[in-house]
């Protein structure tokens, strides 16, 4: 319960409600006994390696700037807050796995940008040329096949409980919402 309390107290307040109808503001005032019940639910989810029915994401198609047709709408997955809390509690396990797999060689994007900028300045000072490419990978995971990502995560030693529950959330039948209309029961493998 104390790990859950620490996570709940640091959730961003400006986020939309989850598909479970919870928001950070509603989770923060929960008492210790309520958080113990939530911890019990999450422990049961891990033991059973499955999420309760009806906890799947809703994918809302939102307009991007200048969008003129439905084909230009951007998908936003709205997840249950219970899942977000669980993943934030388990983030430490995921970080440990990343460090074990990559030997501590994983850095945040901001550090990499500063390093490239320093290399460019050094090249300029020495009268040399420098070039860099930047890729926006913000939505790249949407195109990765789940079966491939699951196998790769397991092959490199990620905790199987985290792999199963993470992909189970995204592997459930989804509800797609566009302009207030909903389509239920869509399966996706990426």
């Amino acid at each position: 319960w104390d790990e859950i309390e620490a996570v709940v107290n640091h959730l961003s307040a400006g986020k939309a409600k989850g598909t479970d109808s919870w928001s950070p503001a509603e989770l923060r005032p929960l008492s210790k006994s309520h958080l113990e019940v939530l911890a019990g639910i999450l422990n049961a989810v891990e033991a059973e390696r499955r999420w309760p029915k009806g906890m799947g994401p809703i994918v809302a198609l939102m307009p991007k700037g200048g969008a003129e047709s439905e084909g230009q709408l951007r998908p936003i997955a709205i997840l249950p807050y219970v899942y977000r809390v669980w993943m934030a509690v388990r983030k430490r396990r995921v970080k440990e796995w990343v460090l074990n797999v990559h030997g501590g060689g994983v850095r945040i994007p901001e550090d990499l940008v500063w390093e490239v900028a320093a290399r460019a300045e050094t090249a300029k000072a020495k009268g040399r040329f420098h070039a860099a490419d930047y890729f926006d990978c913000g939505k790249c995971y949407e195109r990765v096949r789940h079966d491939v990502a699951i196998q790769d995560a397991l092959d490199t030693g990620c905790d199987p409980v985290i792999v199963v529950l993470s992909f189970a959330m995204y592997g459930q039948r989804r509800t797609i919402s566009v302009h207030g209309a909903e389509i239920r029961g869509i399966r996706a493998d990426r």
Side-chain angles (χ1 to χ4, degrees):
W1 75 268
D2 54 338
E3 288 179 285
I4 292 172
E5 182 181 50
V7 164
V8 167
N9 287 336
H10 289 93
L11 290 172
S12 297
K15 300 287 184 176
K17 285 190 174 206
T19 57
D20 50 8
S21 296
W22 285 95
S23 72
E26 294 166 330
L27 290 170
R28 280 192 194 92
L30 293 178
S31 68
K32 176 184 173 186
S33 61
H34 289 110
L35 294 175
E36 286 173 339
V37 170
L38 180 54
I41 292 168
L42 294 177
N43 287 332
V45 163
E46 285 190 0
E48 296 172 19
R49 294 188 181 195
R50 67 179 182 83
W51 292 100
K53 289 186 181 201
M55 271 189 94
I58 293 175
V59 178
L61 298 177
M62 308 295 286
K64 295 189 271 186
E68 296 178 7
S69 70
E70 270 67 25
Q72 296 172 322
L73 298 176
R74 176 180 175 203
I76 304 291
I78 303 169
L79 300 166
Y81 256 97
V82 170
Y83 173 77
R84 295 182 209 183
V85 168
W86 171 78
M87 198 62 227
V89 169
R90 292 299 177 230
K91 187 185 270 186
R92 187 175 66 242
R93 280 197 206 165
V94 174
K95 282 184 178 178
E96 290 168 2
W97 164 63
V98 168
L99 289 174
N100 287 334
V101 171
H102 298 288
V106 177
R107 296 179 296 165
I108 62 173
E110 288 84 358
D111 288 346
L112 298 173
V113 169
W114 281 110
E115 181 181 313
V116 170
R119 288 182 183 183
E121 289 295 323
T122 302
K124 183 179 178 182
K126 293 181 178 182
R128 296 184 178 165
F129 295 98
H130 181 268
D133 284 329
Y134 294 93
F135 297 95
D136 180 1
C137 298
K139 295 290 183 181
C140 66
Y141 67 90
E142 294 173 351
R143 300 187 188 284
V144 175
R145 287 184 20 207
H146 290 179
D147 59 337
V148 172
I150 289 168
Q151 194 58 55
D152 285 351
L154 292 172
D155 289 349
T156 57
C158 188
D159 182 335
V161 172
I162 290 176
V163 173
V164 167
L165 291 175
S166 295
F167 284 97
M169 178 57 65
Y170 288 96
Q172 293 186 48
R173 293 185 179 274
R174 300 169 189 201
T175 298
I176 310 292
S177 175
V178 183
H179 303 302
E182 291 186 350
I183 302 167
R184 297 184 187 275
I186 303 297
R187 278 229 187 259
D189 67 353
R190 55 179 50 86

